[in-house]
Amino acid sequence: MADAEQSLAYANADFASSNQLFVDHLLVDNPQALKDVIDLGCGPCDVMLRLAEACPDIRITAVDGSAAMIELAAQAVRAANHEARIVVMQGYIPGLALREHDFDAILSKDLLHHLPDPMVLWREARRLGRQGAAVHVMDLIRPATQEDARNIVETVAPDEHPILKEDFYNSLCAAFTIEEVETQIRQAGLPLRVTRVGDRHMLIKGALR
């Protein structure tokens, strides 16, 4: 989402339920304190702001490839007074200028379907995570047909901005099936499991060995 209008439409959309679902699952699966985490594809940073509110001692590196989106994320972090705990940076995977094995959690929500090569996410998770690091990735599940995708858009977001509705439709069509993601993580050699959560998302989670 390099386009400023597109990024703003996304930032103004109501993703509260799925964003909170992501955080709730993360906290249930990782009851121990999370300290140093990275969010790949942070968008406007709503998910990480929710996580920061729930975990007062957490340190978050929030990454997105879009300069327009990173500016919106930085504004949101400043408004929430979380600049000391959330660092936002523009960058792309692979190739982030970050130290290897430096994080105890690798997080990502709704990035996987945007990647031309989804394997880069799984390789970057292994590169950035410490041994035992939590991997927690949520993404859309591709509907069976394009008509099903249109119906989901009109059911979930009937009153959203037309730009957002078209992006949502394109994202649903670009998403993977659960079986496809299971194949990806087997090829990556990662000990992760894939489950359906909610009505249109999958959750990929586990710990690095």
Side-chain angles (χ1 to χ4, degrees):
M1 291 191 180
D3 180 83
E5 185 179 10
Q6 190 180 26
S7 297
L8 186 60
Y10 185 91
N12 288 334
D14 183 7
F15 294 114
S17 59
S18 64
N19 288 353
Q20 191 61 49
L21 182 67
F22 180 92
V23 173
D24 290 345
H25 275 278
L26 176 64
L27 297 179
V28 168
D29 292 335
N30 299 275
Q32 74 281 11
L34 294 170
K35 294 296 185 182
D36 293 290
V37 310
I38 184 166
D39 180 26
L40 301 175
C42 67
C45 226
D46 180 71
V47 178
M48 292 302 100
L49 288 171
R50 292 171 184 271
L51 182 59
E53 290 291 337
C55 302
D57 298 324
I58 203 167
R59 294 181 295 273
I60 299 169
T61 301
V63 181
D64 202 278
S66 165
M69 197 67 83
I70 281 295
E71 178 56 32
L72 292 171
Q75 292 173 13
V77 170
R78 285 194 298 270
N81 294 316
H82 282 322
E83 293 170 283
R85 295 194 292 133
I86 303 178
V87 175
V88 298
M89 63 175 286
Q90 185 185 3
Y92 298 93
I93 59 171
L96 293 175
L98 296 169
R99 290 188 301 179
E100 295 185 357
H101 312 305
D102 205 34
F103 297 94
D104 58 29
I106 313 299
L107 314 178
S108 184
K109 180 177 183 288
D110 294 333
L111 171 67
L112 186 63
H113 66 268
H114 287 290
L115 299 173
D117 177 9
M119 297 304 292
V120 300
L121 177 59
W122 309 122
R123 289 194 290 266
E124 199 72 345
R126 185 181 291 283
R127 186 181 76 85
L128 294 173
R130 301 172 180 142
Q131 184 175 6
V135 176
H136 199 82
V137 174
M138 183 182 283
D139 208 82
L140 295 167
I141 300 171
R142 188 175 72 244
T145 68
Q146 293 180 338
E147 182 180 3
D148 288 342
R150 285 291 183 197
N151 289 337
I152 290 172
V153 171
E154 293 305 324
T155 299
V156 174
D159 301 319
E160 294 288 0
H161 193 290
I163 290 176
L164 180 75
K165 291 174 72 171
E166 191 62 21
D167 282 342
F168 187 16
Y169 169 76
N170 290 334
S171 290
L172 286 164
C173 293
F176 299 98
T177 66
I178 287 176
E179 292 75 20
E180 288 168 343
V181 173
E182 288 174 334
T183 298
Q184 292 170 19
I185 60 178
R186 279 198 303 271
Q187 291 176 349
L190 293 174
L192 308 177
R193 61 189 183 277
V194 188
T195 57
R196 186 181 188 106
V197 291
D199 59 351
R200 62 189 181 278
H201 284 92
M202 69 177 85
L203 183 63
I204 307 104
K205 62 183 182 180
L208 298 179
R209 295 173 183 161

